[in-house]
């Protein structure tokens, strides 16, 4: 599996997304069909899993070996929990900055999510979703790009594709940051399990907070709270979180180094940054026509989601 095949896989993911949206829109227009939130989430995961697994199949790759499901120490698992929570202020900060320009996508769907029993959504969003996304983007995509170019370039490319996969600017902003963080975690441990654990803890925390806030709020839920959020309030929150994110991110970097030392992967982690300027003739072939087409299609879709609601009815 190399970058050329990865780019075709990503184009297939974007085209499959377009096809599914077109079919659902047609059914909604013709038969007033509305896809519930649970099958919607499962469909979104299938959109990324099917092309990726098909690409691995026709490439005759060993999926387990390609993805890098290697053992990690029990102590490392606890360190990953700590690293995850220390990384959250940075992603929250990026999310708030994006909210200056676009709506919070998670808040927008929170009403539908909260209609489903907690344990079902915890499994879908907190366990199944993170596992499938890490398998594709840090397992198949990252390692595929890494075979063609440097680890640094592969990290940037895989984070970009992970961001665009969300198909909205709000989630894409902090998904890109998460994409960078978990690649460094994978290199610090040498195992995809580390990024799976990070992603599961991150998403599960969001689900728990969503249901907790809904149970404690007198009415309106998250959507009502966002409607009352003014730009001045958001800027004030950003200022406060800026300091918190600076401190917590510095501590997270220390924990990452601690993890790498425990797994004896310090050199591998340093190499991600040190190799960023390394000349590699093959990495010039990482960006191909299928990838450019996929990026243009994804950005066009994301832009239309913002523009269409602004047009007069």
């Amino acid at each position: 599996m190399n970058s050329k095949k990865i780019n075709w896989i990503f184009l297939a993911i974007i085209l499959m997304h377009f096809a599914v949206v077109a079919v659902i829109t047609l059914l909604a227009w013709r038969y007033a069909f509305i896809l519930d939130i649970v099958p919607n989430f499962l469909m979104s995961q299938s959109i990324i899993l099917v092309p990726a697994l098909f690409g691995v199949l026709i490439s005759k790759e060993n999926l387990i070996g390609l993805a890098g499901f290697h053992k990690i120490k029990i102590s490392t698992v606890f360190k990953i929990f700590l690293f995850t929570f220390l990384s959250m202020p940075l992603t929250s900060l990026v999310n708030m900055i994006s909210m200056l320009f676009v709506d919070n996508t998670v808040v927008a769907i929170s009403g539908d999510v909260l209609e489903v029993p907690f344990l079902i959504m915890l499994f879908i969003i907190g366990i199944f979703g993170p596992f499938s996304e890490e398998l594709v983007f840090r397992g198949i995509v990252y390692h595929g790009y890494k075979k063609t170019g440097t680890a640094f370039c592969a990290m940037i490319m895989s984070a970009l594709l992970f961001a665009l996969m969300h198909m909205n600017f709000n989630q894409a902003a902090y998904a890109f940051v998460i994409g960078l963080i978990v690649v460094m975690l994978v290199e610090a441990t040498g195992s995809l399990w580390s990024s799976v654990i990070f992603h599961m803890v991150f998403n599960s925390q969001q689900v728990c907070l969503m249901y907790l806030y809904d149970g404690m709020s007198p009415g309106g839920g998250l959507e009502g709270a966002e409607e009352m959020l003014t730009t001045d309030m958001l800027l004030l929150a950003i200022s406060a979180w800026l300091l918190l994110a600076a401190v917590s991110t510095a501590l997270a970097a220390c924990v990452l180094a601690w993890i790498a030392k425990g797994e004896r992967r310090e050199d591998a982690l340093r190499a991600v940054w040190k190799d960023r300027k390394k000349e590699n003739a093959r990495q010039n072939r990482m960006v191909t026509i299928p990838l450019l087409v996929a990026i243009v299609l994804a950005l066009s879709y994301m832009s239309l989601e913002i523009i269409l609601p602004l047009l007069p009815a």
Side-chain angles (χ1 to χ4, degrees):
M1 185 72 67
N2 55 29
S3 61
K4 185 180 294 185
K5 294 177 181 178
I6 295 299
N7 294 343
W8 277 109
I9 288 173
F10 187 64
L11 176 59
I13 290 172
I14 299 301
L15 291 176
M16 191 171 175
H17 176 88
F18 273 65
V20 169
V21 169
V23 170
I24 292 175
T25 302
L26 180 62
L27 290 175
W29 172 73
R30 184 67 177 84
Y31 303 104
F33 171 79
I34 302 297
L35 189 65
D36 291 334
I37 192 71
V38 171
N40 196 316
F41 272 117
L42 295 176
M43 180 72 72
S44 66
Q45 295 305 316
S46 299
I47 287 173
I48 67 170
L49 275 173
V50 172
L53 295 179
F54 182 73
V56 172
L57 179 64
I58 63 176
S59 298
K60 299 180 180 179
E61 293 269 2
N62 183 319
L63 179 61
I64 302 299
L66 175 65
F69 284 108
H70 305 301
K71 293 181 180 179
I72 55 177
K73 297 177 180 179
I74 296 298
S75 59
T76 299
V77 174
F78 291 104
K79 293 173 189 175
I80 292 170
F81 273 75
L82 176 60
F83 177 75
T84 305
F85 283 105
L86 288 173
S87 301
M88 286 178 182
L90 176 61
T91 58
S92 296
L93 175 64
V94 174
N95 179 36
M96 285 186 283
I97 293 173
S98 73
M99 287 169 61
L100 291 171
F101 309 98
V102 293
D103 293 334
N104 188 313
T105 305
V106 174
V107 170
I109 64 170
S110 62
D112 295 327
V113 170
L114 292 168
E115 291 178 359
V116 180
F118 168 72
L119 290 179
I120 293 177
M121 294 314 300
L122 183 64
F123 172 76
I124 293 174
I125 299 177
I127 298 175
F128 177 65
F131 180 83
S132 63
E133 290 174 11
E134 291 307 312
L135 174 63
V136 173
F137 289 96
R138 256 63 64 182
I140 298 170
V141 172
Y142 172 65
H143 287 101
Y145 277 133
K146 193 177 175 182
K147 285 185 178 180
T148 302
T150 63
F152 182 82
C153 289
M155 176 177 68
I156 299 297
M157 294 293 290
S158 61
L160 175 63
L161 268 56
F162 180 58
L164 292 174
M165 175 274 298
H166 287 82
M167 302 298 278
N168 67 81
F169 286 109
N170 170 245
Q171 287 181 294
Y174 61 85
F176 181 78
V177 175
I178 291 174
L180 300 178
I181 291 172
V182 290
V183 162
M184 290 187 286
L185 189 57
V186 167
E187 289 297 339
T189 60
S191 174
L192 186 67
W193 285 119
S194 60
S195 67
V196 170
I197 294 169
F198 178 103
H199 203 154
M200 285 183 176
V201 173
F202 186 94
N203 278 22
S204 296
Q205 176 259 358
Q206 286 191 320
V207 175
C208 291
L209 287 179
M210 190 182 298
Y211 279 84
L212 182 63
Y213 184 85
D214 182 65
M216 295 176 62
S217 61
L222 290 173
E223 292 177 282
E226 188 185 30
E227 288 178 2
M228 294 187 292
L229 186 65
T230 65
T231 301
D232 289 340
M233 293 168 62
L234 188 56
L235 288 172
L236 183 63
I238 289 172
S239 300
W241 278 88
L242 188 62
L243 178 59
L244 177 61
V247 174
S248 66
T249 303
L251 292 173
C254 294
V255 174
L256 184 65
W258 185 25
I259 291 171
K261 184 176 181 180
E263 293 288 339
R264 297 181 180 179
R265 296 271 305 175
E266 301 103 311
D267 291 340
L269 181 58
R270 292 193 197 100
V272 176
W273 179 253
K274 289 171 65 177
D275 293 349
R276 69 190 186 282
K277 295 182 180 180
K278 182 184 292 185
E279 292 294 332
N280 189 332
R282 292 184 302 165
Q283 71 187 32
N284 294 328
R285 299 198 295 269
M286 292 178 73
V287 178
T288 62
I289 297 299
L291 177 62
L292 293 176
V293 172
I295 291 174
V296 169
L297 289 175
L299 290 176
S300 299
Y301 180 90
M302 293 158 67
S303 300
L304 282 174
E305 280 202 327
I306 297 175
I307 295 171
L308 289 180
L310 300 178
L311 297 178

